[in-house]
Amino acid sequence: MGKPVEAAPWSFSKIKSFETCPKQFYHEKVLKEFAFVESEQMRYGTEFHTAAENFVGKGTELPKHFAFAKPVLQSLADKPGKKLVEQKLGLNSKLEACSFFAKDVWFRGIVDLLIIDGEDALIIDHKTGKSSQYAEKGQLELMALSVFRHFPEVKNIKAGLLFVIANDFVKASYERSGQRELWTKWLSNYSAMEKAFETGVWNPKPSGLCKRHCQVLECPHNGAN
């Protein structure tokens, strides 16, 4: 008999996928019934992240098709402080800092750009979507919570979702003293996903995405039915 599948390690994308539809999450992420297919938008996003990482972290010139983003990336590269790109952060179930690949890792997150300047830090997450209308700050919250655990000297964090195509910057700020409230929220969200793993109950959550964007044909809410 195989090892039981557990909710951890979890991440922002994992928990948001679960919240979108537990049943879809079960078939796609737990049973892995469908092969991952990278879309053109995903490929573009991955390529941009690599280019931005190399520009800020190594001073590598941007490819011509990303030259439009040079002014804003240069402004980030010019900021004072220690710059960490694609920084992998792990936490164990005691909310203690650990390696991203530690045996007891419970949460994983990756910060596109982290700049630490004494007690202050800046978190940047690059977005290549064409609109910031439905921007989700939850990712910034979890990254801030992780940074506080990994860098005890940091007391204040400014963060932002940098929409390079839409030319928008969705801001947020966090203080070390506000960790408890944020953890209460995310631990509650995690508990709901953990319960589904424990009970094996994966209820469908119908939405406008069912009609064209779901591969789970057995679900009665699927548009193919």
Side-chain angles (χ1 to χ4, degrees):
M1 186 173 180
K3 181 180 178 181
V5 180
E6 299 178 348
W10 63 286
S11 63
F12 172 75
S13 61
K14 186 175 180 178
I15 205 164
K16 294 308 294 184
S17 179
F18 171 80
E19 290 176 349
T20 296
C21 178
K23 183 171 179 60
Q24 182 187 48
F25 174 86
Y26 175 65
H27 287 273
E28 292 186 351
K29 308 298 183 183
V30 180
L31 296 182
K32 301 184 187 300
E33 292 180 342
F34 311 103
F36 172 74
V37 179
E38 185 181 41
S39 68
E40 185 177 342
Q41 291 85 354
M42 291 177 183
R43 193 176 304 111
Y44 182 90
T46 299
E47 187 180 352
F48 179 84
H49 276 74
T50 299
E53 174 187 354
N54 291 335
F55 180 83
V56 177
K58 302 177 182 178
T60 304
E61 193 59 46
L62 291 169
K64 289 183 179 180
H65 55 291
F66 291 139
F68 68 89
K70 184 172 182 177
V72 68
L73 292 178
Q74 187 64 61
S75 70
L76 294 172
D78 291 341
K79 286 186 178 296
K82 181 180 180 181
K83 297 171 184 67
L84 302 170
V85 294
E86 293 298 309
Q87 184 69 14
K88 294 181 173 63
L89 303 175
L91 299 176
N92 62 27
S93 59
K94 296 180 181 180
L95 305 185
E96 299 169 335
C98 69
S99 166
F100 193 81
F101 297 106
K103 290 184 178 180
D104 63 340
V105 66
W106 173 76
F107 170 81
R108 287 174 173 158
I110 302 176
V111 182
D112 289 345
L113 174 61
L114 171 62
I115 302 177
I116 297 179
D117 187 18
E119 295 182 349
D120 301 316
L122 174 65
I123 290 173
I124 298 294
D125 189 77
H126 303 303
K127 298 295 183 184
T128 53
K130 294 181 179 180
S131 172
S132 61
Q133 182 178 359
Y134 302 105
E136 170 61 76
K137 292 184 180 180
Q139 185 173 7
L140 296 178
E141 294 175 0
L142 286 167
M143 292 304 95
L145 289 170
S146 299
V147 168
F148 282 134
R149 297 293 173 167
H150 276 262
F151 301 93
E153 72 275 19
V154 173
K155 295 182 179 179
N156 307 293
I157 295 177
K158 290 184 178 180
L161 301 172
L162 179 58
F163 285 82
V164 293
I165 304 295
N167 192 30
D168 197 7
F169 187 62
V170 180
K171 299 178 181 179
S173 60
Y174 308 98
E175 297 180 357
R176 179 170 288 274
S177 60
Q179 292 181 85
R180 177 175 294 182
E181 181 179 352
L182 286 178
W183 272 124
T184 298
K185 166 189 170 180
W186 285 104
L187 289 176
S188 176
N189 292 352
Y190 172 77
S191 294
M193 183 172 68
E194 186 179 40
K195 184 176 181 180
F197 275 89
E198 291 175 348
T199 62
V201 176
W202 307 89
N203 293 317
K205 186 177 180 180
S207 72
L209 299 174
C210 298
K211 188 173 182 179
R212 296 183 179 179
H213 302 282
C214 184
Q215 304 179 86
V216 186
L217 297 179
E218 71 173 54
C219 179
H221 303 289
N222 189 287
N225 299 320

